[in-house]
Amino acid sequence: MTPGAGILLPAAAWGVEFTSRGFALSSRPIVFPQDTLWTRVTIAGGFGYFIASNDRLLVWREVAERMFTAGAERAEYAEEARGAYRVATFIDGRLDGALFIGPAEAAPSWDALRALFESEKIEDHQRRLLLSGKSGEGLAATGPIVCACFGVGLAAIRAALTSGVGSVEEIGKTLRAGTNCGSCLPELKRIVADERTAQPV
Ligand code: FES
C-alpha cells in the first residue's frame, strides 16, 4: 500500500480495516512506517496528521523517537494491552509535538492538543492533564489533577469515596486512576486515608 499523500481520505476508501487510529502534531514533516494511512493538514506552528495503522505499539515508540526534537522534555503514557500510546514533548514551556494513537473504536480526539500546540505557552495544570487528551478547561469542576495518566481530578476521587468506594484499588476499578504508571498511588493513598479520618465514628 502507498502511504497517504496529504489528502483527507476516509480509511474506508482504502478498503482496509485498521486496528489503531490517532493523530500527530509536529513542527516538521513526519515520516511514517510503510502501510500507515495518514493525512496531513497545515496548522499554526507546523503540521497535524490523522493516522490509521495496524502497527504495534513498539513501532509507534520508534516513530516518536524519530519525530521529536532530541533532548526535549517528554511526557509519555503507554497501555500495552490496549495498544494505546500517547507522548508529548515540550520546549521552553510550549508543546513542541505530540503523538496519540490507540484502539480504532476509541480514537483520541485532537481538539485539546491542537489548541495547546498552537499556544505560545502552556500552563502547569494543562501540562499535567495533557496526556488525558483534555485541555484543562473545566478544571475547576474536576479539581486539581491527581492522576495525570487518566486526567482524574481530586473532586472525582472525593465524590467516589463519598459514594461508597473505599480503597485505592476500588478507585482504580471505578475511575482507572492509579492503574498505569502508579506515580499517583501515594497521593491516592493519602486521599483515602484523609477521607477515612474525616468519617464520623
Ligand atoms: S499518574 Fe499514572 S496512573 Fe496515575
Side-chain angles (χ1 to χ4, degrees):
M1 184 193 309
T2 306
I7 304 165
L8 284 167
L9 277 177
W14 295 72
V16 177
E17 291 291 325
F18 291 98
T19 54
S20 303
R21 287 174 186 269
F23 65 84
L25 301 164
S26 174
S27 53
R28 338 183 257 275
I30 303 172
V31 177
F32 291 110
Q34 198 179 14
D35 293 346
T36 303
L37 175 65
W38 57 268
T39 63
R40 184 176 72 197
V41 293
T42 302
I43 59 175
F47 306 99
Y49 294 84
F50 295 100
I51 308 162
S53 167
N54 286 317
D55 281 319
R56 297 176 43 184
L57 194 145
L58 183 64
V59 171
W60 290 102
R61 280 187 193 275
E62 290 167 2
V63 172
E65 288 306 320
R66 290 197 304 271
M67 72 178 265
F68 292 131
T69 307
E73 255 183 282
R74 184 179 295 204
E76 198 169 32
Y77 159 73
E79 202 177 343
E80 202 84 41
R82 290 178 68 235
Y85 182 56
R86 299 177 176 188
V87 57
T89 59
F90 310 89
I91 294 180
D92 295 335
R94 64 173 295 276
L95 177 62
D96 186 59
L99 171 65
F100 277 40
I101 191 144
E105 66 279 8
S109 162
W110 85 341
D111 295 345
L113 269 286
R114 177 178 171 173
L116 294 176
F117 182 78
E118 293 179 338
S119 302
E120 283 301 308
K121 184 169 178 11
I122 63 172
E123 304 298 330
D124 284 350
H125 73 272
Q126 292 175 312
R127 187 165 159 159
R128 283 198 299 275
L129 203 53
L130 189 140
L131 288 185
S132 72
K134 296 171 185 168
S135 65
E137 301 303 321
L139 196 64
T142 62
I145 294 301
V146 176
C147 178
C149 288
F150 296 106
V152 181
L154 181 59
I157 294 165
R158 287 212 172 118
L161 290 169
T162 48
S163 68
V165 166
S167 67
V168 170
E169 292 71 27
E170 286 174 11
I171 290 172
K173 285 183 192 147
T174 312
L175 301 171
R176 300 183 75 196
T179 59
N180 185 51
C181 72
S183 64
C184 60
L185 287 173
E187 179 70 359
L188 289 174
K189 285 180 190 157
R190 192 188 60 72
I191 295 166
V192 171
D194 284 355
E195 189 67 24
R196 283 190 186 137
T197 311
Q199 295 288 330
V201 283

